[in-house]
Amino acid sequence: MRRSYDVVIVGGGGHGLATAYYLAKRFGVRDVAVIEKGWLGGGNTARNTTIVRSNYLHQPSMALYGLSHGMFEGLTAELNFNTWFSPRGLIELAFSQDELDSLSRTADANAQFGIKSWMIPASEARSILPLLGDPVPEGRLLGALWQPRGGVANHNAVAWGYARAAARLGVDIIENCDVESVLTVNGRTTGVRTAQGDVAAGAVVLAAAAGSAGLAQSAGVHLPLEATSLSAFVSEPLKPVLDVVVLCGAKRPYLSQANTGELVIGGATDGHPSLSPGGSLRAVEDTAASLISLFPSFAALRMMRQWAGTVDLTPDRSPILGPAGPDRLYLSCGWGTGGFKAIPAAGLITASTTVHGKPHALVQPFTLDRFTSGRLVDETAASAVAH
Ligand code: FAD
């Protein structure tokens, strides 16, 4: 680590690494450091269930996630690193009239905006998911939202692909270095204080997930972030049994089958503020119980591993992007339970915002001032995870 950079990015997760890559690749800003307190991509990026889709409800979200979804399609070639993007199709099930109405609203919004996602009848959903029980205790299956190019990508490959490509362009990636505070002088950001000394910077980007709140506070900025645990687990490996990604409704599981055969399963957050690195057993039990009630044959499976991440929730479940307040301090945080899918686009628009000193058009709806103006982008329902 040198003592001065044009840009310092705090957090070596997907968002920090992608921002560094696009700064160097698209904008020619190569005097960049990514400072990570742990290991590369070891935060939520390493722990997520890797679902990629763009069928959100509000126009700013569809623009952001739609761009990102498109970028995932070409990411392996862009990074020359296999990201294992697998757009195998994604189905979201409705078991009540409320769920059906909510998904139908999303489908209508998607159609208006040109996002390829639409409702399919229950009979078609059942033909896609032959292992779905009938009947299920959740109620009658009433229909489903279908996104044919929704899918998964490999979490490590996305982080490592961006890291390798950024490093080859000259970006310094520093691991095992805790950033303790943001340094400002007369309202202008001048650098960061780290466990290995002060580092001067022309601009600082906070991409430190829940850690962003304390760092912003050190520069006098309050971020409305709440940290909670979100768990996932994997089964023993199976022969192919599930060839789509399934979302079963906010309080129920979401799952896909990994290339290596395991079922990768996630559910609701712990539902209360938490920094627990392992997540709560109750959340895992609830997810497993719901999984078995929906797919009875999975009751015979043994689970291999469980883990959790500390996700950074905002009040409207949309990210916080753009200027933080002090001159040359920028944010890419609040990604909560759904930020993996946004990594390519958010990296690009955060890089653009940092270079130009003003929010990129796609950033504008997600700036911090929406929490004082009330101009929220409420994606609670479309996030498909109970919080
Ligand atoms: P992170 O990957 O957490 O990176 C932030 C980094 O900042 C960390 O490495 C951390 O160590 C570092 N850091 C923090 N404080 C400091 C400091 N003071 N100094 C230096 N470094 C610091 N999203 C989806 O789109 N699809 C999904 O299917 C999905 N499933 C999920 C399932 C689970 C179980 C979890 C936990 C999350 C899931 N998500 C999903 C959400 C997704 O993982 C996150 O939104 C995304 O990874 C956020 O990326 P990030 O780079 O902002 O954060």
Side-chain angles (χ1 to χ4, degrees), residues 360-382:
H360 183 282
L362 295 186
V363 162
Q364 273 165 13
F366 298 105
T367 52
L368 180 60
D369 60 2
R370 76 180 187 273
F371 298 106
T372 43
S373 70
R375 187 181 35 78
L376 302 183
V377 186
D378 191 341
E379 291 292 359
T380 312

Side-chain angles (χ1 to χ4, degrees), residues 10-16 35-39 42-52 177-180 207-209 211 215 230-232 254 307-311 332 335-343:
V10 186
H15 285 283
I35 307 182
E36 164 56 50
K37 75 172 177 186
W39 64 95
N44 292 319
T45 301
R47 295 151 199 274
N48 89 95
T49 47
T50 75
I51 297 170
V52 176
C177 182
D178 199 351
V179 176
E180 295 164 353
L215 292 168
L230 179 64
S231 293
Y254 36 92
W307 66 89
T310 304
V311 291
S332 177
W335 288 106
T337 60
F340 176 72
K341 63 180 76 63
I343 285 171

